[in-house]
Amino acid sequence: MKIAIIDYGAGNIQSIKFAVQRLGFEAILSSNVEEIQNADKVIFPGVGEAGSAMRMLRSTGLDKIIPDLKQPVLGICLGMQLMCTSSEEGNTRGLGIFDAEVKKFFGNLKVPQIGWNTITELQGKLFKNVSAEEYVYLVHSFYVPECSDEIARTNYGVDYSTALNRDNFYGVQFHPEKSSKTGEQILKNFLNL
Amino acid sequence: MLTKRIIPCLDIKNGRTVKGVNFVDLRDAGDPVELAAAYAEKGADELVFLDISATEEKRRTLAKLVLDVAEQLNIPFTVGGGISSVEDVDILLKNGADKVSINSSAVKNPDLINQLSEKFGSQCVVVAIDAKNIDGKWSVHLVGGKVPTELDLFEWAKEVENRGAGEILFTSMDHDGTKNGFANEALARLSEELNIPIIASGGAGNIQHFEDTFKKGKADAALAASVFHFKEIKISDLKNSLKNSGIPVRI
């Protein structure tokens, strides 16, 4: 199986490569359009700021390629947020794959949310052998409000969509590569799609 | 519900863990990778590696260590100790560290906090603050508490937040090593005055101390070294006890 992790200069992608490796697969880090298009599975990571991440995607032309991919694609953290219609972070227009507008946490909350929180209302193959209320690791200041593409939910001051799915596109707000055994199971489920 | 985090801290010198680690079930208690994996298995929520070596080789050894740890570890980890530039951080993050912790370099060059949070995001910038209570005033100290500064803990913490830090790791020099509990009054004030997570450090001696720092100290996470290394407290016992006291923890 060919697994490509999209390398567009955003964040800690080494950890995702290692997590895939621990499951017995090899992943390549790539910004090459053909390599990404020909992979069996594509992982779209992201850590950092939405506006500058979108600029990096546009400068490499990857913003045009990603929405047309036909194989399973998994956006992680900022990767998932960039797959939405827009983000309040830097008033950024996203890739428009998921029908959701990313918002900033508000009210009397510490931001970023950093740490382990539960996932509930789990739907579909991505959560095979994962139970509701299992813990995942999250680090984020912006969130996806509950929407029709939701396949998992988390609460931090507000109930929000912590995982999304539409057609071949999946997104998780948490870091499966850092979420212990639960994260490994979710990553394994994605690779088995 | 977001849980409170338990964070064992490992001191690293020349790529090896130091300062009495007593994990009898390990083949080699000095191997940070093996120790890290054991802690992850036992339920640690995160790990901190503090590099205390002072050799010229430091940068290269640390980068290699980070890579080895990242290859094995399935929970997040932070690296600190002598990090003083954007380039230092770039290397550590590229090798797989999730966060870096800066201390003296932030005091000497506060703009470094802005540079790091702009380039890598706030989420990976932890600012460590060591302070001592002198005549009722919490004064920030450097070099493991040896060198006093003019800075006031609460003013400095606020500045650090405004400059883009994602978390604060506060060590009370008065409590560190005493095993008499964390500096809960100062911690609670930090937590109330700031909007970023606060990690309590210094003073852990028993399970009650952790409960107190989460309840009275309003800390978001608690860091400790020797009570875990010497198996005085088992992480599973600690978390079960915290859960029974109504504190949300990951079990």
Side-chain angles (χ1 to χ4, degrees):
Chain A
M1 180 160 56
K2 276 190 261 175
I3 304 163
I5 301 170
I6 301 180
D7 182 3
Y8 60 107
N12 181 357
I13 50 181
Q14 195 66 256
S15 298
I16 300 174
K17 189 173 190 276
F18 285 145
V20 169
Q21 210 170 292
R22 286 194 295 271
L23 292 171
F25 299 94
E26 281 300 321
I28 50 160
L29 307 178
S30 180
S31 54
N32 179 292
V33 170
E34 268 184 33
E35 240 172 4
I36 293 168
Q37 282 172 331
N38 292 328
D40 300 305
K41 300 284 182 329
V42 175
I43 298 176
F44 177 38
V47 169
E49 197 267 328
S52 51
M54 271 311 290
R55 279 192 291 279
M56 286 191 275
L57 283 176
R58 280 193 209 102
S59 71
T60 48
L62 287 166
D63 62 318
K64 298 278 190 298
I65 306 303
I66 296 169
D68 288 332
L69 291 172
K70 299 288 179 256
Q71 65 276 57
V73 178
L74 178 67
I76 297 177
C77 196
L78 180 63
M80 176 187 90
Q81 295 186 355
L82 296 178
M83 289 159 84
C84 296
T85 318
S86 65
S87 173
E88 275 186 5
E89 190 176 19
N91 282 321
T92 305
R93 197 158 60 87
L95 298 174
I97 297 166
F98 300 123
D99 188 12
E101 291 174 11
V102 181
K103 305 241 181 279
K104 180 151 194 181
F105 281 125
F106 58 93
N108 190 24
L109 286 175
K110 288 196 175 182
V111 177
Q113 170 179 221
I114 298 185
W116 298 80
N117 202 332
T118 47
I119 43 175
T120 59
E121 310 295 323
L122 309 180
Q123 294 174 45
K125 289 180 187 166
L126 197 62
F127 296 105
K128 192 184 161 193
N129 296 328
V130 177
S131 317
E133 306 296 334
E134 281 190 36
Y135 291 98
V136 292
Y137 186 78
L138 297 137
V139 186
H140 61 127
S141 303
F142 294 79
Y143 71 98
V144 175
E146 287 192 88
C147 66
S148 58
D149 294 328
E150 174 181 294
I151 53 168
R153 195 179 295 164
T154 290
N155 181 283
Y156 188 61
V158 59
D159 277 332
Y160 67 92
S161 297
T162 200
L164 304 171
N165 169 228
R166 176 174 287 216
D167 305 324
N168 55 317
F169 293 97
Y170 293 80
V172 288
Q173 180 61 64
F174 51 86
H175 287 272
E177 75 280 13
K178 291 287 166 184
S179 294
S180 193
K181 294 192 174 87
T182 302
E184 280 170 4
Q185 182 64 49
I186 293 166
L187 209 49
K188 195 168 149 190
N189 291 341
F190 171 72
L191 297 178
N192 284 335
L193 283 172
Chain B
M1 190 186 229
L2 181 65
T3 58
K4 302 290 187 182
R5 288 168 281 153
I6 300 297
I7 310 177
C9 176
L10 305 173
D11 282 348
I12 302 292
K13 195 171 183 183
N14 305 325
R16 311 277 296 165
T17 45
V18 291
K19 266 218 283 201
V21 173
N22 181 19
F23 261 73
V24 288
D25 48 342
L26 291 183
R27 273 174 289 135
D28 175 3
D31 178 8
V33 179
E34 203 175 343
L35 196 55
Y39 273 125
E41 187 64 29
K42 286 170 201 298
D45 294 309
E46 251 180 79
L47 292 174
V48 168
F49 295 91
L50 192 60
D51 191 327
I52 56 170
S53 51
T55 57
E56 283 177 23
E57 284 286 289
K58 176 172 176 149
R59 197 183 269 192
R60 209 164 54 94
T61 343
L62 188 58
K64 169 78 168 64
L65 171 73
V66 166
L67 193 70
D68 291 343
V69 170
E71 197 168 359
Q72 298 295 327
L73 202 64
N74 61 9
I75 60 168
F77 69 100
T78 303
V79 180
I83 295 167
S84 60
S85 68
V86 170
E87 195 203 354
D88 286 347
V89 173
D90 192 41
I91 293 168
L92 296 172
L93 295 181
K94 275 197 180 130
N95 279 285
D98 297 286
K99 314 179 206 178
V100 293
S101 161
I102 54 172
N103 189 337
S104 303
S105 57
V107 172
K108 285 175 198 150
N109 171 22
D111 202 42
L112 180 63
I113 305 168
N114 304 64
Q115 291 168 17
L116 294 179
S117 65
E118 276 158 30
K119 187 159 166 54
F120 307 108
S122 289
Q123 81 290 332
C124 66
V125 185
V126 181
V127 175
I129 306 178
D130 297 341
K132 255 182 207 172
N133 190 336
I134 300 169
D135 301 329
K137 181 184 178 290
W138 281 94
S139 130
V140 176
H141 281 60
L142 302 181
V143 203
K146 290 187 200 100
V147 180
T149 71
E150 297 292 306
L151 293 170
D152 168 75
L153 166 64
F154 302 99
E155 284 168 20
W156 173 233
K158 194 74 206 163
E159 181 177 346
V160 157
E161 175 182 33
N162 291 339
R163 285 177 178 274
E167 280 179 289
I168 285 177
L169 167 57
F170 165 52
T171 304
S172 161
M173 305 311 303
D174 300 320
H175 296 69
D176 200 27
T178 64
K179 299 203 171 185
N180 285 330
F182 296 90
N184 293 323
E185 260 180 57
L187 280 161
R189 190 174 154 196
L190 281 175
S191 213
E192 277 156 17
E193 291 183 5
L194 272 63
N195 285 314
I196 55 176
I198 310 291
I199 306 167
S201 158
N206 59 39
I207 287 180
Q208 185 64 41
H209 294 152
F210 286 88
E211 185 181 329
D212 290 345
T213 205
F214 291 133
K215 283 190 172 164
K216 295 179 194 156
K218 300 181 179 167
D220 298 284
L223 176 142
S226 62
V227 290
F228 296 136
H229 300 329
F230 290 109
K231 288 187 163 175
E232 289 161 23
I233 298 177
K234 273 171 75 180
I235 293 175
S236 54
D237 292 345
L238 171 60
K239 285 190 155 182
N240 282 323
S241 173
L242 291 173
K243 194 186 173 193
N244 291 337
S245 311
I247 294 166
V249 285
R250 175 182 71 111
I251 290 181

